[in-house]
Amino acid sequence: MRFLSRVVLALAIVGLSGCDRSGSGKAADQRQVTLNVAFFKSPATDAAIALIPEFEHQSGIKVSFEALPYNELQDKLQTVFLAKTAQYDVVMADCIWIPKFAEAGHLRNIDGYLKDQNLTPTAFKYDDIVTSVGDYLGRYPKNGTTYGFPFMTNTHVLAYREDLFKKYLEPAGFAPPGMTLETAWTWDDYLRASKLLTKDFPDAPGGHMWGSSMQARAGAWLVYEWYDWLYGFGGADFDYATMKARFDSPEVIAAMKAYASMVGTVAPPGVTSWGHEEETQALASGQCAMDATWNVELTEYLVGAGKSPFTKEFRFALSPKRPGGTPTPDMGGYGILLSAYSRHPTEAYRFMVWLTSPEIHQRIVLAGGTPYRYSALRDPEVLQKYPVYKIYGKALELSIYRARVPQWPEIQDVISKELTAVLLKQKSAEDAATAMQTRVTEIVGRP
Amino acid sequence: MGKSTRPHWRSWWSFLPAGAVVGLLTLIPVFLVLYASLTDWTETSGPTLVGITGYEHLLRDSYFVHSTKVTITFAVASSLLSVALGIAVACALHSFGRWRFAMLVLCSMPLLISSATAAMVWRLALNEQTGLIPQLIYRLGGARVGPLADPNGALLSACVVDVWQWTPLVILLVFAALERANAQVIDLAVVDGLGASTRFWRLFVPIISPVISLALLIRFSDALRAFDVAQVLTSGGPGNATEFLSLFAYARLIKFGNYSAAAISAVAMLALASVALLVIRFLLRRRIFERGTL
C-alpha cells in the first residue's frame, strides 16, 4: 500500500510538472530568448565574449557562447547539421566550409533581413565591409545568397626586421619590401634575401639564423602558405569560367619547386611539422628573419608586449609578386552565419548585426581581432596599435578567392598531400602536379 | 517432447535482454554503416544505392592503400613492442619483493591520462624549437630537427607514444597472472638454481601465455583504431605519413561530408581487425598454448 501511494504521488508530480511546462513555463520561454552560438577559439572570439553582456543588456536576449578549437568546431557543426538540430543559432565557419553548408541547406538566407530597416539599421553600414571580404565570407555565389557576415579575416603579408634589413640587405643593394604595387618585392627578391639572411648569427637561438620562416604542416597551414606562391608565379588552381583544374600548368610546377627549395636551405628542415604557432615562435625568437605568411596570430604575437625581443624591429609589406605583376595574396577567414535550423532567426540576426557593427568591430580589432571594415582599417587608434593594418587593407583588396565549391576541403587535402611529398623529396613537382590534376578533376566532376 | 522444448524456449527468453542490447548497440549501427557503404551518400546529396562501386574506387585509391599499410605497420609495431616491454617489466617487477605494488602503481600512471592529453604532452616534448627531447639531442651534438617533420620519425614517434601509454596495461595483465600462479613453484625454481633465462622460458612463459594472447588481442585492436595519437601528435602528417585508417575515415566523414566513403573506410577497418584477430588467435593457439604446460 505504501509502495502504491508512492507511485501515485510520483505520477502526480510528473503530471503537474508537465502542466507547468505547457503553461507558465512556455510564457517564460517567450519572454527570454537564449541564443546558442558556436565560434572558433581566437583572439577575436575572446574579445566578442567579453562584449556579450552589453548585447544582453541592450537587447534582453541571452547568448550562450561556445568557443571551440578548430577541429572540435568542425566536428560539432558537422554532427549538428547532419542531424538538422537547432542546437546552434549562429555559427562561425571557416571560409572553405561555407559552400558545403550552403549547398546542403544548413544556412538561412538573410537577404530579406538585410533589406529590412528594422533589423538592419542604417548605422550597420553594410557597404563599410570590404566588398570582396563580405562576398567571400558571407555569401555563396552559386545561388547569389547572403548567409552571414565576415568575422575574422586573413591574407598574406611579408614580415621582416628592419635591423637585419639595414645590416645585411641594404648593403647588398636591396630596396625595402614595398608598400605599393610597384615597389613590392618579387619572389626572386624574397628568395635571394632569405639566402643572404641564412647565416651564423650570435643573436639567433643556437647561433644560426634562417632567412625565412614557414608553416608547412600538412593541411591548411601548408596549402594557403603555398597559394601565395601559386598565384604569385602566375598559376591558378582552376579556370574559373569552366571550373577545369589547372594544376598541371608550368606555373604551378614552378611555384611548387620554388616553395620546396626553401626547406632546409633558407628555412629550417623541420618546417614540415610547423603550423601558426611554431612559425610565429621562430620569427619572434630570432630563429628566422623573414616570413611571407597568412598567419593571423603573427601580428598580435610580434607586436604584443614582451613576446619578442625584436618587437620594435618588425615591419610589414605587401607579399611578393612575379616580375611585372602585382602581389596576389590568398584570402581566408571566417564568417558568422545563421543556421537554417535556428528557432530564433530574428534574434540571431540581431545578434549578428550587433557583433559585426562598425563600433563593436573596431573594439574587437583593438582587442586582437582582424579587420574587415574600411572604417577599422582607417581608424587611427587601430593603426597606431597595429601598424601592419596600413598594408593589410590593401592586401585584402588584392586577395584572390579559393574555388568556392562544396568539395573544397577534399581538394585542399589532395594539394596538401601532394605538395608535402614534394617538400619531403618523395615526388617530383611534375608528378605531384599530375596527381593533383587527376584527383581534383575527378573530385569536381562528381555529381 | 514437451519436456525437452521448455528449457529451450526459456533459454531463448533469457537471451533476449542481452541480445537486444547487442542488437541496438552493435548490429544496427553495423548494418547502417554497411548500407551507407553501398550508396553514394554525401552531405549535399541523399543516399542512392550504387552497389560496390565505392569499394572498387577506394581499393584503387593510393591514399587509402597507403593508410592501410601505415595502419598495419603501426598496429603490428605498437602491439608487439608494448607486449614485449610489458612482459619484461612485469617479470622484473614480480621479483621486486614487497615494493612491487608501489612500483606497479608508478608504472601504471600513463593509463590514467587520456590519449589526447598524452599525445599533446609528447607533441610539446618533441617540438623542434622548445621540446625537451630535440633540445637534448641538439645539446648532445645532434641535428636540430624535430622527429615529427620526417615521415619515419613521425610514425616512430606515434608508436613510442602509443607504447608508452599502453604498455602499463600489459604490465598489469602479466603481473596479475604471475601473482595468481603458485608462488611455491616459482620459489622452488629459484632454490633449484634455475637461471633467469630458463626461469623465464620454462616457468614464466607457460604461466603468462594465456594473458599474452589476451594482451595482444587488446593491444592490436586498440592500435588498429588509434586516432587521438595521430590526430593530436602529427595531424596525420607530414603529408599522409601517419594518416591511419581512422583519420582517413574521419576526414571523409567530418571534413569532406562524404558519408559513403567514410562508411567504406569503416568497413575496411572492421574487416582488417577481424582478419587480424583471427590470425592472432590462430597463431597463439598453435604456438604458445601447446607449449604452455606447468
Side-chain angles (χ1 to χ4, degrees):
Chain A
M1 196 62 194
R2 202 173 162 192
F3 170 75
L4 192 65
S5 62
R6 278 185 184 177
V7 170
V8 171
L9 184 64
L11 286 172
I13 291 168
V14 170
L16 283 173
S17 63
C19 291
D20 180 60
R21 264 179 129 26
S22 60
S24 60
K26 196 171 179 183
D29 284 350
Q30 282 170 352
R31 282 200 303 272
Q32 180 69 68
V33 169
T34 299
L35 298 174
N36 293 296
V37 303
F39 273 44
F40 168 54
K41 178 103 178 82
S42 63
T45 299
D46 291 342
I49 291 171
L51 297 172
I52 291 296
E54 289 183 29
F55 173 74
E56 291 179 332
H57 180 70
Q58 285 169 22
S59 65
I61 300 167
K62 288 267 172 208
V63 181
S64 170
F65 221 102
E66 277 186 55
L68 304 162
Y70 187 91
N71 282 335
E72 207 176 315
L73 177 69
Q74 187 173 232
D75 291 359
K76 281 214 165 183
L77 295 190
Q78 197 69 35
T79 316
V80 164
F81 282 157
L82 177 62
K84 298 184 194 289
T85 62
Q87 187 169 334
Y88 296 120
D89 300 285
V90 178
V91 299
M92 181 170 164
D94 189 349
C95 55
I96 65 168
W97 306 340
I98 296 172
K100 194 163 61 110
F101 289 163
E103 194 84 36
H106 299 321
L107 307 175
R108 181 182 285 264
N109 182 339
I110 60 165
D111 281 315
Y113 292 163
L114 262 175
K115 288 174 194 150
D116 184 342
Q117 292 231 329
N118 288 324
L119 292 172
T120 317
T122 322
F124 179 65
K125 294 182 186 165
Y126 186 72
D127 293 346
D128 182 42
I129 295 173
V130 176
T131 313
S132 55
V133 179
D135 180 43
Y136 188 55
L137 300 176
R139 308 184 80 229
Y140 181 46
K142 192 174 167 186
N143 54 19
T145 306
T146 312
Y147 294 107
F149 307 117
F151 184 69
M152 220 174 98
T153 57
N154 51 50
T155 188
H156 289 79
V157 293
L158 194 161
Y160 68 102
R161 272 170 49 188
E162 194 168 57
D163 57 334
L164 296 174
F165 175 82
K166 286 193 170 155
K167 193 168 181 184
Y168 297 110
L169 299 182
E170 206 167 45
F174 278 86
M179 302 283 279
T180 66
L181 302 183
E182 295 74 30
T183 57
W185 274 3
T186 62
W187 284 107
D188 187 50
D189 291 333
Y190 184 75
L191 283 171
R192 283 190 304 115
S194 297
K195 270 181 200 155
L196 278 175
L197 293 172
T198 301
K199 54 170 65 228
D200 289 338
F201 189 68
D203 285 351
H208 184 79
M209 180 170 70
W210 297 89
S212 179
S213 189
M214 290 172 80
Q215 48 169 321
R217 188 191 300 167
W221 303 280
L222 165 70
V223 173
Y224 303 121
E225 180 162 89
W226 176 66
Y227 253 57
D228 200 13
W229 295 71
L230 168 77
Y231 298 141
F233 274 69
D237 43 10
F238 288 95
D239 175 341
Y240 282 88
T242 58
M243 276 314 287
K244 280 191 176 165
R246 285 181 51 191
F247 285 98
D248 56 353
S249 72
E251 292 82 6
V252 174
I253 293 169
M256 267 198 270
K257 285 182 175 170
Y259 180 71
S261 75
M262 297 215 298
V263 181
T265 56
V266 298
V271 291
T272 45
S273 67
W274 287 14
H276 286 333
E277 201 182 326
E278 292 87 353
E279 179 190 42
T280 312
Q281 276 175 1
L283 210 57
S285 69
Q287 186 188 1
C288 296
M290 298 192 300
D291 203 358
T293 181
W294 64 282
N295 192 337
V296 287
E297 284 88 359
L298 189 74
T299 48
E300 174 64 17
Y301 207 87
L302 298 187
V303 301
K307 290 189 175 174
S308 168
F310 312 108
T311 295
K312 287 183 181 162
E313 301 295 343
F314 283 109
R315 301 288 180 274
F316 299 93
L318 283 175
S319 66
K321 61 183 183 182
R322 68 177 184 277
T326 56
T328 44
D330 166 68
M331 185 188 289
Y334 292 76
I336 53 168
L337 311 158
L338 184 48
S339 164
Y341 315 111
S342 169
R343 292 198 188 111
H344 311 289
T346 318
E347 290 83 355
Y349 181 77
R350 281 187 199 281
F351 170 67
M352 289 164 64
V353 165
W354 173 84
L355 190 61
T356 54
S357 64
E359 186 211 329
I360 298 298
H361 174 56
Q362 190 246 19
R363 290 167 68 186
I364 288 175
V365 172
L366 282 171
T370 43
Y372 51 82
R373 281 184 173 272
Y374 294 111
S375 54
L377 286 161
R378 292 177 195 134
D379 186 272
E381 205 180 338
V382 169
L383 293 178
Q384 194 191 0
K385 187 168 183 188
Y386 301 107
V388 61
Y389 292 145
K390 285 175 193 159
I391 204 72
Y392 192 81
K394 196 172 282 181
L396 272 180
E397 287 182 345
L398 289 167
S399 296
I400 295 180
Y401 302 159
R402 298 157 200 166
R404 298 164 81 182
V405 291
Q407 303 97 328
W408 183 257
E410 195 170 355
I411 295 170
Q412 175 188 300
D413 184 65
V414 169
I415 299 167
S416 166
K417 285 184 170 120
E418 297 301 328
L419 186 55
T420 306
V422 177
L423 300 189
L424 296 172
K425 299 184 172 50
Q426 294 170 328
K427 259 187 186 180
S428 68
E430 287 81 2
D431 287 347
T434 306
M436 281 184 197
Q437 179 71 11
T438 310
R439 282 183 179 272
V440 173
T441 302
E442 188 269 322
I443 292 167
V444 291
R446 276 186 219 147
Chain B
M1 191 78 178
K3 274 182 185 173
S4 64
T5 51
R6 244 180 236 163
H8 171 73
W9 280 106
R10 271 192 201 145
S11 66
W12 273 104
W13 279 112
S14 64
F15 166 77
L16 260 182
V21 171
V22 171
L24 279 172
L25 298 182
T26 311
L27 295 180
I28 291 176
V30 166
F31 281 120
L32 284 176
V33 168
L34 279 173
Y35 166 72
S37 75
L38 298 170
T39 68
D40 62 353
W41 192 12
T42 68
E43 189 173 11
T44 52
S45 65
T48 310
L49 274 172
V50 292
I52 58 165
T53 314
Y55 285 89
E56 288 171 352
H57 183 262
L58 204 67
L59 285 173
R60 285 198 304 269
D61 185 346
S62 59
Y63 293 167
F64 173 76
V65 174
H66 173 82
S67 283
T68 308
K69 284 181 188 168
V70 170
T71 307
I72 293 173
T73 308
F74 171 80
V76 169
S78 173
S79 55
L80 287 181
L81 270 173
S82 57
V83 169
L85 202 61
I87 292 169
V89 175
C91 290
L93 279 181
H94 184 70
S95 52
F96 239 75
R98 63 180 180 158
W99 289 102
R100 64 189 189 278
F101 287 105
M103 296 297 289
L104 187 69
V105 171
L106 278 179
C107 287
S108 307
M109 289 294 180
L111 276 180
L112 304 177
I113 306 168
S114 78
S115 40
T117 310
M120 181 61 80
V121 170
W122 276 90
R123 190 177 143 192
L124 292 173
L126 293 168
N127 183 290
E128 180 189 331
Q129 294 155 334
T130 53
L132 192 68
I133 296 166
Q135 291 287 331
L136 197 66
I137 294 170
Y138 178 66
R139 280 174 200 278
L140 292 172
R144 198 189 185 94
V145 180
L148 302 181
D150 171 73
N152 294 326
L155 188 57
L156 183 67
S157 302
C159 269
V160 168
V161 176
D162 203 51
V163 168
W164 174 80
Q165 182 157 39
W166 294 110
T167 296
L169 178 72
V170 184
I171 296 174
L172 285 177
L173 289 171
V174 175
F175 188 84
L178 288 172
E179 286 293 309
R180 226 178 34 235
N182 189 337
Q184 282 184 334
V185 176
I186 296 173
D187 291 344
L188 275 174
V190 178
V191 172
D192 285 350
L194 285 180
S197 167
T198 316
R199 254 189 295 154
F200 176 76
W201 287 110
R202 304 295 290 272
L203 193 63
F204 284 178
V205 168
I207 291 171
I208 63 176
S209 56
V211 177
I212 295 175
S213 71
L214 180 69
L216 263 179
L217 284 171
I218 294 173
R219 283 296 301 119
F220 194 81
S221 57
D222 269 354
L224 266 186
R225 56 190 170 83
F227 178 81
D228 294 354
V229 63
Q231 176 74 354
V232 177
L233 190 71
T234 61
S235 308
N240 57 349
T242 52
E243 191 181 56
F244 302 146
L245 277 174
S246 55
L247 267 76
F248 185 89
Y250 166 81
R252 270 130 199 91
L253 178 70
I254 299 292
K255 292 184 186 170
F256 309 161
N258 189 338
Y259 305 140
S260 55
I264 296 169
S265 314
V267 172
M269 282 175 70
L270 189 66
L272 197 63
S274 306
V275 170
L277 297 182
L278 284 174
V279 169
I280 290 175
R281 281 192 65 81
F282 176 75
L283 288 176
L284 287 169
R285 279 194 173 164
R286 279 178 61 90
R287 300 294 298 275
I288 297 178
F289 287 174
E290 284 170 11
R291 279 174 65 180
T293 49
L294 250 178

